[in-house]
Amino acid sequence: MQILEGVKFMERICVSVIVPIYNTKPWLEECIRSILDQKFDQTFEVILVDDGATDGCGELCDQMAAQDKRIRVIHQENQGLSAARNTGIDAAQGRYYAFVDSDDILRPTYLQTLYDACEKNDAYMSICAVEDVREDGSSAEPPAYTMPSETGVFSGKELLNRFYAPNGTYYTVAWNKLYRAEVWKLLHYPEGRLHEDDFVAHRLFWRCDKVVCLDAQLYCYRLRGGSICRTSIKPEAFDAVDGLADRYRFYVENGADRTVIDNAYAACWRRYLFLCAKVRQNPEPKLVKAISKEQFLMQGLISYLPNCKQLKMTEKLSAARWSMMPAESLCPAKK
């Protein structure tokens, strides 16, 4: 791992903006410029983690770091998004952390608005609304926003059931938020996994006594055909089921409210059944094998199935069937 640092700040850094980067060069400079151009009255650093990019992203990062002392660049072999974020967390020096995906765009008041919300309310996290933008960065027609269910100040535990609302990504994704650094103590993303937020979001909210939910649309999420979440199904898609199962177990072990436990349990089964249905439409051998592997996990959860109030009887019957019967008989693989 190679680290290139700009001139160190003499004063304490307020915010560390962590940007994991892999082969997003067409959009990378616009992303970084939107961070550097923040109208923010506190100090901040920009940690660019080049996760083994092969399209020239690393060179672009070095060029921009040479022009602005707020930028630090970390080059590492390709290890995936979780590892890149973890590298940024370990290197961060700020009182607060923010994550920005390297193809997205920040509105100019993003940092100031989220920082003021945390400071005014002595909150551990603040969240803003998200605008989905086209690949060229322009607004959709009509505009598309992900808004909070309700604005205000809440305890993190109050918001756990919002994860399962139609706007649930407002709460669960890493990148429309500002966090106090101490929230991340001893907490990292699971490396080698997709759907990494499903393993982490609940733990973050559980730790936060106060979370500020804002409806200001300050983060622009770029819709791209080749982004991770928009590609066709792969065996790794079942990582999402593992993450949701982890969430359910976390709630049980920590004595969460019954409705929170039920919602987490139902979400896990629904994601599993959805993926099974997708595989059945295109039963490639590697995908059928992924179901067989996942069945061991789901069998370990099945004892709570009769008690879950959030699942319909038809869902419970499907859950029992797709966890207990051989995957090859339910979903014959193509020859």
Side-chain angles (χ1 to χ4, degrees):
M1 183 184 297
Q2 178 188 5
I3 302 178
L4 303 178
E5 298 190 13
V7 178
K8 291 184 180 297
F9 294 113
M10 297 301 294
E11 54 187 310
R12 175 74 188 272
I13 295 170
C14 182
V15 177
S16 296
V17 183
I18 299 166
V19 187
I21 299 165
Y22 182 73
N23 290 0
T24 54
K25 189 176 180 181
W27 309 279
L28 179 58
E29 183 170 357
E30 183 179 15
C31 171
I32 297 172
R33 294 289 179 200
S34 77
I35 301 171
L36 297 175
D37 291 344
Q38 288 293 296
K39 297 177 180 178
F40 189 44
D41 60 15
Q42 303 291 324
T43 57
F44 68 95
E45 64 175 353
V46 184
I47 302 175
L48 305 179
V49 184
D50 166 27
D51 189 43
T54 59
D55 65 346
C57 281
E59 292 80 0
L60 177 58
C61 290
D62 292 342
Q63 292 168 15
M64 298 192 74
Q67 299 168 11
D68 197 307
K69 68 179 183 181
R70 294 172 294 179
I71 296 176
R72 289 196 286 152
V73 183
I74 304 176
H75 298 286
Q76 65 183 31
E77 294 182 0
N78 179 244
Q79 301 172 53
L81 176 58
S82 290
R85 283 182 179 166
N86 290 341
T87 296
I89 291 169
D90 291 340
Q93 301 175 28
R95 292 173 45 226
Y96 291 92
Y97 298 165
F99 297 95
V100 179
D101 280 2
S102 59
D103 53 352
D104 292 340
I105 308 165
L106 301 183
R107 297 301 186 203
T109 59
Y110 173 85
L111 286 180
Q112 189 70 60
T113 302
L114 293 180
Y115 171 77
D116 288 345
C118 283
E119 289 289 296
K120 178 182 177 181
N121 297 284
D122 191 26
Y124 284 80
M125 184 195 303
S126 56
I127 315 175
C128 71
V130 177
E131 179 182 2
D132 289 346
V133 297
R134 295 169 172 158
E135 191 159 336
D136 64 3
S138 63
S139 296
E141 294 181 9
Y145 304 111
T146 303
M147 305 291 287
S149 301
E150 185 180 358
T151 59
V153 183
F154 309 87
S155 73
K157 293 176 183 178
E158 285 182 86
L159 298 173
L160 295 174
N161 278 325
R162 311 282 175 92
F163 286 17
Y164 311 106
N167 63 341
T169 55
Y170 174 92
Y171 302 95
T172 58
V173 295
W175 31 255
N176 60 332
K177 301 172 177 67
L178 189 69
Y179 312 84
R180 280 196 199 173
E182 55 260 43
V183 172
W184 286 93
K185 186 176 182 180
L186 302 179
L187 184 60
H188 281 66
Y189 285 98
E191 299 188 8
R193 295 276 202 164
L194 295 184
H195 302 280
E196 62 288 329
D197 293 327
D198 288 331
F199 291 87
V200 173
H202 52 288
R203 288 177 163 83
L204 291 168
F205 278 79
W206 193 267
R207 293 180 174 192
C208 291
D209 291 336
K210 290 182 182 179
V211 177
V212 185
C213 296
L214 306 171
D215 58 8
Q217 299 138 22
L218 303 175
Y219 192 99
C220 297
Y221 176 76
R222 195 188 305 265
L223 300 173
R224 295 198 291 117
S227 60
I228 291 175
C229 64
R230 304 179 77 80
T231 52
S232 59
I233 185 171
K234 298 178 181 178
E236 293 81 5
F238 285 90
D239 285 350
V241 181
D242 296 348
L244 294 175
D246 174 81
R247 183 179 295 170
Y248 161 70
R249 290 195 181 100
F250 177 88
Y251 291 153
V252 172
E253 291 168 1
N254 288 277
D257 182 83
R258 172 67 181 268
T259 60
V260 172
I261 291 174
D262 276 14
N263 276 325
Y265 185 80
C268 179
W269 278 106
R270 285 171 179 153
R271 181 70 66 91
Y272 173 68
L273 293 173
F274 168 78
L275 291 174
C276 289
K278 294 283 285 185
V279 173
R280 192 169 191 176
Q281 294 173 7
N282 184 28
E284 297 180 10
K286 63 181 180 179
L287 295 175
V288 177
K289 184 177 180 180
I291 292 178
S292 297
K293 180 180 178 182
E294 205 67 22
Q295 283 183 322
F296 288 103
L297 170 72
M298 305 313 290
Q299 288 168 9
L301 301 180
I302 203 167
S303 62
Y304 188 67
L305 195 60
N307 300 316
C308 181
K309 297 181 179 180
Q310 294 297 322
L311 286 171
K312 300 175 182 177
M313 181 56 67
T314 52
E315 291 176 310
K316 293 180 179 180
L317 292 173
S318 293
R321 180 172 178 242
W322 279 92
S323 62
M324 302 305 295
M325 292 182 65
E328 293 79 4
S329 64
L330 294 166
C331 200
K334 291 180 177 178
K335 299 296 185 181

